[in-house]
Amino acid sequence: MLGRAMLTMGARVEPATGLRRDTGRMLQALREQTGATVSLIASAESSATVIESIPGRDTLPVDIFAGRLLPVHAAGSLVIEPSAAPERVNAARRAAVDDGDVVSGLSCFAVAIPLPDGSAAALQLSTLPEDPAIRYSSVTQQVAARIREHLRADALSQ
């Protein structure tokens, strides 16, 4: 019975079929290219939740791991639901930056990943301030676009 409950909970957190399963290589490649902690984030009920995370080279001031709930002001939360701090969201790029706004000593850049059902997930990089996460905005947006295209192609083939 517990196994079924865990599967049901996991399905609620993964907003698009294959989002976690099919993106592992892309997330790992982004981590190798940037050295940053790479996280995939989804909306789960009243908050954003990390559904996958690959630790970066540096030890960050907070642990970022699958299952962690993000504050509403975190970059990854804001690109999914910007109402908490719309001034920190670039609506045209569907991106947000967090340079110590939520956690001192933590730099984050996140970009939305539009999902086939119209909702969104987020791809977030987290680094130390000496190597600001926004520095990797271009490659992060490219990977988010590849994930979006992969999910769209998957949805069309079903």
Side-chain angles (χ1 to χ4, degrees), residues 9-156:
M9 186 181 349
R12 275 185 273 151
V13 172
E14 186 172 35
T17 302
L19 181 60
R20 288 177 16 209
R21 178 193 68 228
D22 297 342
T23 59
R25 288 186 191 153
M26 289 183 256
L27 300 179
Q28 186 62 44
L30 182 58
R31 188 270 183 217
E32 293 304 318
Q33 187 172 358
T34 63
T37 294
V38 177
S39 303
L40 194 56
I41 299 160
S43 181
E45 297 185 22
S46 63
S47 66
T49 303
V50 176
I51 61 172
E52 198 67 52
S53 187
I54 301 172
R57 286 190 289 260
D58 296 321
T59 301
L60 301 176
V62 295
D63 288 331
I64 302 173
F65 53 88
R68 182 179 186 97
L69 300 177
L70 296 182
V72 296
H73 292 90
S77 295
L78 289 173
V79 297
I80 294 172
E81 176 46 60
S83 62
E87 70 282 359
R88 290 192 24 237
V89 179
N90 180 322
R93 294 173 69 196
R94 292 200 68 184
V97 176
D98 173 2
D99 280 324
D101 298 303
V102 177
V103 175
S104 179
L106 183 65
S107 174
C108 298
F109 173 78
V111 62
I113 302 171
L115 300 175
D117 70 357
S119 65
L123 179 60
Q124 177 176 287
L125 291 191
S126 303
T127 63
L128 295 174
E130 301 81 53
D131 186 23
I134 195 167
R135 174 178 170 204
Y136 305 107
S137 64
S138 180
V139 68
T140 305
Q141 289 175 319
Q142 290 168 9
V143 171
R146 284 201 321 263
I147 292 171
R148 181 188 71 235
E149 291 306 314
H150 177 79
L151 292 172
R152 187 163 35 145
D154 232 23
L156 291 175

